Amino acid sequence: MSQSLDRAMTILITCAEGPQRLSGLAQQLDVHRSTVLRLLQTMAARNFVRRQDDGRWTIGLGLTSAALSALDRIETRAVANPWLRRLARDLGHTIHLAELFGSDIIYVDKVEGRGAVRMNSRVAAPVQIHTAAVAKAILAFSTPDVVDSVLADLTYQRFTSTTLTTQASFRKELATVRAQGWAVDDGEFEDYISCIAVPIRDRTGSVQAGISITALRAIEPLEQLKLNIPRLTEAAQEISSELGWDGKKGLTDDGKPQLL
């Protein structure tokens, strides 16, 4: 391990125990005060530590935010999995859970339906963003800067006759999803598969994840699959509630979605 990285980690662990003076940190690390100060200033620039009015150093909000975000991500799959299993059991279709990580949307959980045919999607694999209902459900409720970042390098490869092949058409689709509260994949990646999806909110009311139902069109056409939207929405709301959402954050006074 890099010596500087090891020292920085020691500083963070020590400051997490309580505010520390520069001299005490230098003594603990057995280095000159100037060395510790450089490390502190570097971490302070990322808001991982901050200097109090009394001169002591403590943990910054940047580190706290990162820790809470990581905790939220770990909790989402654990909280959602029983609901995925329940939906798969009751409906017989494959249920996916996906989350936004940087500029990617990744499948983080999947429960197969009762059918003999298995879906090609797999946990830890990226979602085909411009075709997947779950990606639309997440991005439709994301802030403009997040959407811009995700779409910046996106290519709109045509897979089927219903694939959205331009950024303009995809953004229009996101607006529709935002207005109605749910998204569809109308055979846009594989023409024999349809999908519906809804967003999941975290404790802050923001959308980082989504849940979807995927079915073979020969077994359940899209219009019939849409009849499950109320059931899927109910599950997403229960998951959001268990993640700490109070049912209000992220919504306007009249119950419409808002960007945070």
Side-chain angles (χ1 to χ4, degrees):
M1 179 185 295
S2 163
Q3 188 176 50
S4 294
L5 178 59
D6 183 58
R7 289 169 177 169
M9 292 173 64
T10 300
I11 290 173
L12 289 174
I13 293 171
T14 304
C15 287
E17 297 172 351
Q20 305 292 323
R21 296 199 177 278
L22 178 62
S23 57
L25 290 171
Q27 183 176 3
Q28 180 179 351
L29 293 172
D30 194 23
V31 296
H32 195 273
R33 287 162 53 105
S34 62
T35 300
V36 178
L37 182 59
R38 284 196 298 272
L39 290 170
L40 287 168
Q41 289 172 334
T42 299
M43 289 187 286
R46 300 297 296 270
N47 205 20
F48 274 25
V49 297
R50 61 182 177 85
R51 191 170 184 267
Q52 298 182 156
D53 291 340
D54 62 2
R56 293 185 299 171
W57 292 84
T58 188
I59 292 297
L61 292 178
L63 183 61
T64 303
S65 176
L68 287 174
S69 178
L71 181 60
D72 283 345
R73 296 297 177 86
I74 293 170
E75 287 182 341
T76 302
R77 183 178 182 184
V79 168
N81 183 264
W83 291 96
L84 269 65
R85 294 186 177 281
R86 194 170 306 164
L87 288 169
R89 179 197 65 204
D90 294 347
L91 303 179
H93 299 311
T94 297
I95 314 298
H96 290 98
L97 176 71
E99 289 194 62
L100 176 66
F101 292 90
S103 296
D104 294 315
I105 295 176
I106 307 295
Y107 289 118
V108 295
D109 204 357
K110 172 186 178 182
V111 178
E112 295 279 5
R114 293 192 297 268
V117 178
R118 291 292 180 259
M119 302 296 172
N120 291 328
S121 57
R122 56 187 175 83
V123 174
V127 172
Q128 191 67 243
I129 289 176
H130 69 296
T131 68
V134 72
K136 299 173 187 176
I138 294 172
L139 292 178
F141 300 94
S142 298
T143 56
D145 60 319
V146 169
V147 176
D148 290 345
S149 174
V150 173
L151 302 190
D153 299 317
L154 193 64
T155 57
Y156 297 86
Q157 179 181 351
R158 179 178 291 282
F159 295 101
T160 72
S161 62
T162 56
T163 304
L164 300 173
T165 57
T166 66
Q167 185 174 128
S169 62
F170 188 67
R171 286 183 180 274
K172 183 177 180 181
E173 178 81 352
L174 293 183
T176 298
V177 173
R178 183 172 172 77
Q180 65 192 14
W182 45 269
V184 302
D185 167 2
D186 185 13
E188 296 163 43
F189 181 58
E190 296 169 306
D191 58 11
Y192 57 90
I193 289 176
S194 294
C195 185
I196 58 173
V198 296
I200 292 172
R201 294 185 181 274
D202 63 18
R203 59 187 173 77
T204 70
S206 65
V207 173
Q208 298 287 335
I211 185 173
S212 67
I213 303 174
T214 305
L216 295 174
R217 294 164 76 96
I219 294 176
E220 191 155 340
L222 179 58
E223 290 307 312
Q224 186 176 341
L225 188 62
K226 287 181 182 178
L227 298 178
N228 295 303
I229 289 172
R231 178 73 184 278
L232 186 62
T233 299
E234 179 185 14
Q237 290 175 340
E238 291 293 338
I239 294 168
S240 300
S241 178
E242 290 185 42
L243 289 172
W245 185 49
D246 62 6
K248 297 178 181 179
K249 292 177 182 177
L251 302 178
T252 60
D253 292 337
D254 59 358
K256 298 292 181 62
Q258 66 179 6
L259 293 180
L260 302 180

